[in-house]
């Protein structure tokens, strides 16, 4: 059974937002496995040379990047054919009535948002990923949670800033009130 580490972090919002202070669990990752380490594992399982496996892994990574740039979803399956992970282009963006009213010159004095106002310059593009349900369930069932102390000096690199202020405890965006 895998021992998966987690820690408890405190979420304290900026500003005066009563009722939003909370605590949340966060996974603690021990290591990052790179292409060379994957290649060594592939070589041990298959008998191919490690350098050959490394070339294939690098080629697969490049192909995934190319295919997502071509607006395709790339699905990786395990050796038994079960869906492991999908990687795909993801977009977010919005326009609200409030934003339209606050910029009358930009929107010709209109007071209601329209679909045509959600232009490409208002979009944020990222890559998304989903894990196959079989592996997600298998992980949930075959792990043992191990709580570790939170030490701010040992925190891993922060995830890439997506421009959102999502509360990690609830997944809610405190800035997305009814407009």
């Amino acid at each position: 059974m895998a021992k998966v580490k987690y820690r408890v972090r405190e979420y304290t919002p900026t500003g005066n937002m009563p009722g939003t202070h909370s605590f949340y669990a966060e996974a603690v990752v021990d290591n990052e496995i790179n292409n060379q380490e994957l290649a060594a594992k592939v070589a041990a399982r298959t008998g191919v040379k490690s350098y050959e496996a490394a070339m294939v892994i690098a080629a697969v990574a490049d192909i995934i990047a190319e295919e997502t740039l071509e607006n395709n979803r790339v699905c990786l399956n395990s050796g038994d054919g079960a869906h492991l992970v999908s990687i795909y282009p993801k977009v977010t963006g919005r326009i609200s009535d409030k934003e339209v009213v606050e910029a009358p010159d930009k929107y010709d004095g209109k007071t209601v948002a329209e679909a045509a106002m959600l232009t490409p310059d208002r979009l944020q593009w990222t890559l998304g990923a989903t894990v196959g349900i079989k592996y997600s369930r298998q992980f949930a069932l075959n792990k043992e949670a191990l709580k570790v102390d939170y030490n701010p000096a040992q925190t891993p690199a922060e995830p890439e800033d997506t421009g959102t202020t999502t509360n990690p405890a609830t997944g809610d965006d405190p800035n997305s009130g009814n407009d």
Side-chain angles (χ1 to χ4, degrees):
M1 182 171 288
K3 290 189 179 199
V4 180
K5 296 177 185 174
Y6 76 98
R7 62 182 163 220
V8 176
R9 303 259 320 244
E10 183 174 10
Y11 174 71
T12 306
T14 55
N16 186 13
M17 296 176 8
T20 57
H21 171 259
S22 58
F23 293 89
Y24 63 97
E26 174 182 71
V28 176
V29 177
D30 288 328
N31 300 303
E32 180 176 297
I33 306 301
N34 64 29
N35 286 13
Q36 291 302 327
E37 292 161 319
L38 285 173
K41 290 177 181 273
V42 169
R45 287 188 186 191
T46 64
V48 300
K49 304 283 188 216
S50 182
Y51 73 89
E52 294 170 327
M55 289 188 313
V56 170
I57 290 168
V60 167
D62 290 343
I63 291 167
I64 289 170
E66 291 168 8
E67 291 298 324
T68 55
L69 286 172
E70 292 293 325
N71 205 42
N72 295 314
R73 175 184 294 263
V74 178
C75 299
L76 300 176
N77 297 325
S78 65
D80 65 1
H83 173 72
L84 175 61
V85 66
S86 292
I87 303 168
Y88 51 88
K90 185 176 173 182
V91 65
T92 58
R94 68 181 221 161
I95 183 76
S96 69
D97 294 346
K98 180 180 177 183
E99 292 168 295
V100 171
V101 169
E102 289 175 352
D105 294 341
K106 185 174 181 180
Y107 298 108
D108 297 326
K110 295 185 179 182
T111 58
V112 177
E114 299 172 1
M117 295 173 181
L118 190 54
T119 54
D121 62 312
R122 296 187 57 88
L123 304 177
Q124 296 84 40
W125 290 92
T126 60
L127 289 178
T130 56
V131 177
I133 191 81
K134 173 185 174 183
Y135 289 100
S136 188
R137 284 184 185 150
Q138 183 179 2
F139 175 79
L141 293 173
N142 295 321
K143 59 90 188 81
E144 177 183 327
L146 178 65
K147 185 177 179 184
V148 296
D149 289 333
Y150 171 63
N151 182 347
Q154 294 179 344
T155 56
E158 291 297 318
E160 186 175 315
D161 184 10
T162 61
T164 62
T165 54
T166 303
N167 176 341
T170 64
D172 295 333
D173 183 347
N175 297 324
S176 66
N178 295 333
D179 294 322

